[in-house]
Amino acid sequence: AQSVTQPDIHITVSEGASLELRCNYSYGATPYLFWYVQSPGQGLQLLLKYFSGDTLVQGIKGFEAEFKRSQSSFNLRKPSVHWSDAAEYFCAVGESGGYQKVTFGTGTKLQVIP
Amino acid sequence: DTEVTQTPKHLVMGMTNKKSLKCEQHMGHRAMYWYKQKAKKPPELMFVYSYEKLSINESVPSRFSPECPNSSLLNLHLHALQPEDSALYLCASSQDGTETQYFGPGTRLLVL
């Protein structure tokens, strides 16, 4: 069965600093990988996704993620964090080959300090 | 337009009440999903509809009853809920089962 691990429950960064959120997945075949962001009490917004091709994926709001098959990782990065980036971030893996089930990690809460 | 709408935004109900949650999308997506999210937890899949047919039920109690009247609309009928069912209920849709899921803002449900 597929699974996702986000080892950092809570991360605090200063505004303007760089950010990296870690995500490790477990899946037998080539996965579909996603990063979603959720502000308090809101739905999930898709930041970026990886299905195949270039392993460095660009997303919205200046985020990018890199797929590393050898490390089973899909870490999210941003060079300069803004206060509005404070939110919960979920990494997710979907089964490839046309199935609908997406499994979410437990999330990383990002706090941004001035 | 990648918008999924959900109504109501908030709902308070007693354990003997019957209520419904509504989800709508006009993106021509043919797969729609219900998720339940408890505080500080990731979303958990409840149901998947594909081409208006129920294709996945993640062993959800029968007090939750999904309905897909047409390709744009998804309902979740609630009856005899328990306080532990209080959560944020999220709807999502995708082009088909293989594509990216787009989420609505959710309905925050409180069962008293």
Side-chain angles (χ1 to χ4, degrees), chain A residues 36-46 87-88 90, chain B residues 4 6 37 43 88-91 102-108:
Chain A
Y36 286 90
V37 61
Q38 185 177 35
S39 297
Q42 302 297 312
L44 278 73
Q45 181 181 23
L46 178 71
E88 188 92 26
F90 291 99
Chain B
V4 176
Q6 290 186 244
Q37 186 180 24
L88 181 68
Y89 288 84
L90 295 164
C91 174
Y102 293 92
F103 284 80
T107 294
R108 185 159 299 281

Side-chain angles (χ1 to χ4, degrees), chain A residues 70-112:
Chain A
S70 62
Q71 298 176 21
S72 297
S73 69
F74 189 57
N75 294 347
L76 182 71
R77 299 193 294 251
K78 186 170 185 178
S80 177
V81 170
H82 188 262
W83 63 266
S84 60
D85 293 323
E88 188 92 26
Y89 290 79
F90 291 99
C91 181
V93 59
E95 294 190 28
S96 58
Y99 197 65
Q100 299 133 334
K101 189 163 184 179
V102 172
T103 301
F104 288 86
T106 50
T108 297
K109 185 169 184 178
L110 174 65
Q111 182 180 6
V112 180

